[in-house]
Amino acid sequence: MTSEQQTTYRRLIVERRGPVGWIINNRPERLNAYDAVMREEFPRAWAELDSDPEVRVIAHTGNGRAFQVGADVEELDGEAVQQFQETMRTLDLKLTGWHCNVSKPVITAVNGVCAGGGLHWVADADIVIAASDATFVDPHVSIGQVSALETIALMRKIPAEAVLRMALVGSHERLTAQRAYELGMISQVVDPPELLRDVVQELGEKIAKNSPVAMRATKRALWGALEHGLTDACREGARHLTSVWGHPDQDEGPRAFADKRAPNWLPLDGDR
């Protein structure tokens, strides 16, 4: 699979592969644990791809034998730990696409180990796919830390008992990719593992065929529903549905279907 690298980062790689933009964790010697530099780079990378009209879908994965293992504990001392603690107190993490209010579809591609804070990207993605050798573990309580934000977010996706078991057993048990699939944490297991990025790219290209403005409104409606009760969620969903009435894509879709051709969607044009 060919790729084109667009921007240089110290801890991340940002690439475009056709309509799919990729964010790749690139600190394999530390199992892609995030430090202050990576924390600073994530919001910049998300914003870069979300604002690029040529990018329709954003995929996120890691280099090496781990996807992400959370915060680099060796860095958390002195000024660095104070900065990290402040982001937690203010809930100003800016790590994931959800944290950064990304409007485009986001696919997390889990390769290898996903531990602790790495679960943020599993909980917050629109779609999660994992290699067959991927494993998931939450070691917080095993090192005297509280498991909260990642696991609270995971409760939106999988049964509470499964989350509680992961959080309370800690580093003494790992979920396999197959078990994560059975629980609904991920939607697909890729075997052999080396095909993970190809499979995600193919899925991203399928998604990219759809109307960007319709997908943005759909994403806002569905994620917004998690913040409300049923009636309020439906009211808010109706607001997002009607927000694209009159947009040219609403005419182009049926016309292209009737003409038996690929639709010519308009690119996203700001915060509509």
Side-chain angles (χ1 to χ4, degrees):
M1 180 170 56
T2 61
S3 65
E4 180 183 356
Q5 185 168 337
Q6 301 287 337
T7 306
T8 300
Y9 291 77
R10 292 171 59 192
R11 298 286 193 263
L12 301 173
I13 296 172
V14 175
E15 297 177 343
R16 279 82 164 167
R17 300 173 186 170
V20 183
W22 283 80
I23 297 175
I24 303 171
N25 304 326
N26 192 36
R27 205 183 178 213
E29 72 283 359
R30 297 292 300 161
L31 300 181
N32 291 319
Y34 61 80
D35 59 1
V37 175
M38 190 179 281
R39 288 197 300 273
E40 181 275 327
E41 290 182 346
F42 268 119
R44 185 155 55 91
W46 288 116
E48 178 183 329
L49 294 177
D50 201 32
S51 63
D52 186 340
E54 299 300 317
V55 171
R56 299 285 182 88
V57 179
I58 304 174
H60 178 213
T61 193
N63 278 339
R65 62 189 182 91
F67 165 71
Q68 247 286 351
V69 295
D72 189 339
V73 294
E74 291 189 7
E75 183 214 38
L76 295 181
D77 57 7
E79 183 178 345
V81 73
Q82 292 177 10
Q83 181 188 46
F84 182 70
Q85 289 175 345
E86 184 60 22
T87 65
M88 293 296 176
R89 291 192 189 98
T90 59
L91 203 60
D92 189 32
L93 275 66
K94 289 189 171 68
L95 295 172
T96 70
W98 183 72
H99 292 156
C100 297
N101 199 30
V102 169
S103 62
K104 295 175 180 176
V106 173
I107 305 172
T108 289
V110 181
N111 58 294
V113 180
C114 178
L119 294 169
H120 278 300
W121 289 275
V122 174
D124 292 352
D126 301 312
I127 299 170
V128 185
I129 295 176
S132 59
D133 61 354
T135 58
F136 304 83
V137 62
D138 182 11
H140 281 98
V141 296
S142 298
I143 55 173
Q145 305 299 311
V146 174
S147 176
L149 300 183
E150 308 92 323
T151 40
I152 288 171
L154 275 177
M155 282 189 174
R156 300 172 304 190
K157 302 188 73 169
I158 65 175
E161 182 170 339
V163 177
L164 284 160
R165 177 168 176 156
M166 178 184 288
L168 296 176
V169 176
S171 63
H172 307 294
E173 185 173 272
R174 292 176 180 244
L175 260 64
T176 63
Q178 181 59 35
R179 182 57 179 153
Y181 174 77
E182 292 167 356
L183 290 168
M185 184 185 296
I186 64 177
S187 62
Q188 185 175 354
V189 178
V190 177
D191 190 40
E194 55 267 24
L195 294 181
L196 177 65
R197 295 190 191 182
D198 289 331
V199 169
V200 171
Q201 178 70 25
E202 182 180 2
L203 177 61
E205 290 176 4
K206 289 179 182 177
I207 295 170
K209 294 178 181 179
N210 299 317
S211 164
V213 70
M215 289 195 294
R216 178 174 65 184
T218 297
K219 180 170 173 172
R220 288 174 176 173
L222 296 183
W223 278 96
L226 297 174
E227 306 287 346
H228 303 286
L230 177 60
T231 299
D232 288 339
C234 288
R235 288 198 182 101
E236 187 68 7
R239 185 180 71 82
H240 289 298
L241 187 155
T242 58
S243 72
V244 299
W245 284 1
H247 190 279
D249 280 8
Q250 298 242 303
D251 293 326
E252 171 62 10
R255 189 180 301 117
F257 179 80
D259 294 343
K260 296 182 173 55
R261 60 172 174 81
N264 297 312
W265 305 121
L266 291 183
L268 294 176
D269 55 354
D271 191 22
R272 182 185 169 108

